[in-house]
Amino acid sequence: MDGALLRSLTPSVLGILVRRGADFAAAEDAVQDALAEAVRVWPADPPRDPKGWLVTVAWRRFLDAARADTARRRREDLVDEEPVPGPAPAVDDTLQLYFLCAHPSLTPSSAVALTLRAVGGLTTRQIAQAYLVPEATMAQRISRAKRTVSGVSFDRPGDVATVLRVLYLVFNEGYSGDVDLAAEAIRLTRQLAAAIDHPEVAGLLALMLLHQARRAARTTPDGSLVPLAEQDRGRWDSESIAEGVEILQAALARDRLGEFQAQAAVAALHADAPTAEETDWVQIVEWYDELVRLTGSPVARLNRAVAVGQADGPRAGLAALAELDDSLPRYAAGAAYLHERDGDHVTAARLYAEAARKATNLAERDHLTYRAARLNSPRPGC
């Protein structure tokens, strides 16, 4: 079963149901039912037209649910509108659905969660990890969002900021390697940049391109993580870097700084350094200062502390880190790295092991476990 194919078809199928009159929440439930049926049926009997099959099954599931409601007259009208079998229209509704999910009746956080689940193809667990909340909490948030938009009019799409947040999180999940959604996020952000003259849209596109440019060097052939400082910079995509820098410079020139432009500036400084040793960490700290000012994000503060450790020495970084909550994701990993640079290998090994236990994916866990084991191994002369 090709899970990537199902994820790629989901937005189009969902868009067709919405255009045919289904309210979003009911359509999303029907599409999820159709996907589950595809997982069960397709291995033994693959359809000639997967998208058309999903549209037909999802529409019938929607009608089955509608028949359980009290609006009998509307249900009879919907039966007459059932699509005839055959190829489904090739319409890309994905970006439109992102805006529809960012409905004014939802809070930004609920809109992002709903879009990631219904359109982005992420699981509730993945969304919860991105938001740093328990899975059960996120499941309740998504359920409330679906209830809120059930039956509402979608003539007032949401704002750009919420859609950018969704695209950013989709890209981050794809970039992690767990779900390959990075290219799709870039495609949609390009569409948005072509349609809207907005510096933060440009900033997000630049950020994605600069991170994607390093993707080939991030792992070894066996899937092991390669830290930024150890990556083969000859494998970085120079064309994507050049495009990302050009887009970022044009956005910054408009003097309307936002968080995605600030993040892209950090990525550009990494991309501009011929070697890890030549990285301009002083400028990176300055950009993290801007990012903290703009967002107050604890993750930005954590990254800033590590950058301070590079610019001003590990003890300065540890002092900055001490001001943060040690329950933050990757806090232990950051502390371990700074302690290692400061020569305290015992503490570093303990913290690497702690970080490995908290890691959310196998590659990261293996990398941190290796670093702990390396520091725990007897060294010559000891």
Side-chain angles (χ1 to χ4, degrees):
M1 168 57 58
D2 190 343
L5 173 62
L6 289 177
R7 284 193 298 274
S8 68
L9 292 174
T10 297
S12 294
V13 176
L14 186 56
I16 289 171
L17 265 64
V18 170
R19 288 201 307 276
R20 288 184 175 274
D23 70 75
F24 184 88
E28 198 271 334
D29 287 340
V31 172
Q32 293 299 323
D33 286 346
L35 294 175
E37 183 69 6
V39 171
R40 186 183 70 83
V41 171
W42 286 10
D45 186 19
R48 288 191 298 272
D49 177 18
K51 182 177 175 181
W53 188 98
L54 286 171
V55 169
T56 299
V57 173
W59 187 255
R60 288 173 178 167
R61 292 301 172 92
F62 167 69
L63 293 179
D64 288 343
R67 292 188 182 100
D69 295 335
T70 57
R72 180 173 298 277
R73 181 176 301 176
R74 176 56 181 153
R75 293 198 303 271
E76 292 172 351
D77 291 341
L78 291 173
V79 171
D80 294 336
E81 296 173 12
E82 181 175 343
V84 297
V91 179
D92 185 0
D93 296 302
T94 309
L95 193 56
Q96 179 187 7
L97 289 171
Y98 273 57
F99 274 95
L100 293 181
C101 286
H103 195 271
S105 63
L106 295 173
T107 64
S109 60
S110 294
V112 171
L114 178 62
T115 313
L116 291 172
R117 182 70 185 93
V119 188
L122 275 63
T123 66
T124 302
R125 174 174 296 179
Q126 289 167 332
I127 302 168
Q129 290 171 349
Y131 268 90
L132 313 181
V133 299
E135 184 177 355
T137 300
M138 183 53 64
Q140 292 174 355
R141 184 179 300 177
I142 293 171
S143 295
R144 285 196 300 270
K146 289 170 67 174
R147 288 196 299 271
T148 299
V149 300
S150 179
V152 303
S153 170
F154 282 101
D155 58 352
R156 294 186 302 142
D159 64 359
V160 174
T162 301
V163 173
L164 289 179
R165 177 63 50 190
V166 176
L167 290 167
Y168 173 71
L169 292 174
V170 170
F171 177 82
N172 280 348
E173 190 59 46
Y175 191 65
S176 74
D178 295 329
V179 182
D180 191 7
L181 295 169
E184 174 68 358
I186 291 174
R187 184 184 71 84
L188 293 173
T189 307
R190 284 191 188 278
Q191 283 187 11
L192 189 57
I196 300 177
D197 183 18
H198 193 299
E200 272 293 82
V201 177
L204 179 58
L205 179 57
L207 176 64
M208 289 178 175
L209 290 170
L210 289 165
H211 278 301
Q212 186 77 342
R214 301 200 304 258
R215 189 169 187 178
R218 291 183 71 245
T219 57
T220 63
D222 65 1
S224 301
L225 287 182
V226 180
L228 177 61
E230 300 172 18
Q231 289 176 15
D232 177 0
R233 297 180 181 224
R235 299 186 65 197
W236 290 0
D237 184 345
S238 58
E239 290 185 6
S240 291
I241 291 173
E243 182 185 5
V245 169
E246 181 180 359
I247 292 170
L248 173 62
Q249 288 174 339
L252 291 175
R254 301 179 64 178
D255 199 23
R256 290 170 53 194
L257 184 63
E259 63 173 299
F260 296 123
Q261 294 168 73
Q263 289 190 56
V266 172
L269 286 167
H270 283 300
D272 187 54
T275 66
E277 291 73 24
E278 296 173 86
T279 303
D280 190 342
W281 286 105
V282 173
Q283 273 205 71
I284 287 177
V285 171
E286 292 172 355
W287 278 112
Y288 274 125
D289 287 339
E290 292 288 349
L291 191 57
V292 169
R293 179 183 63 80
L294 288 164
T295 68
S297 163
V299 175
R301 293 180 185 276
L302 175 62
N303 290 335
R304 178 190 178 278
V306 175
V308 167
Q310 295 283 9
D312 300 329
R315 295 194 179 183
L318 287 167
L321 201 63
E323 300 175 4
L324 306 179
D325 185 348
D326 63 6
S327 66
L328 275 172
R330 296 188 172 87
Y331 179 99
Y337 174 73
L338 292 171
H339 277 290
E340 180 182 1
R341 289 195 66 234
D342 195 38
D344 185 353
H345 290 176
V346 173
T347 301
R350 175 178 59 79
L351 288 168
Y352 276 130
E354 177 185 336
R357 291 191 295 271
K358 296 178 179 179
T360 58
N361 67 70
L362 183 60
E364 183 179 357
R365 185 180 307 131
D366 288 346
H367 172 71
L368 293 167
T369 300
Y370 166 76
R371 296 189 78 91
R374 179 176 53 81
L375 292 176
N376 282 324
S377 298
R379 290 179 292 282
C382 295

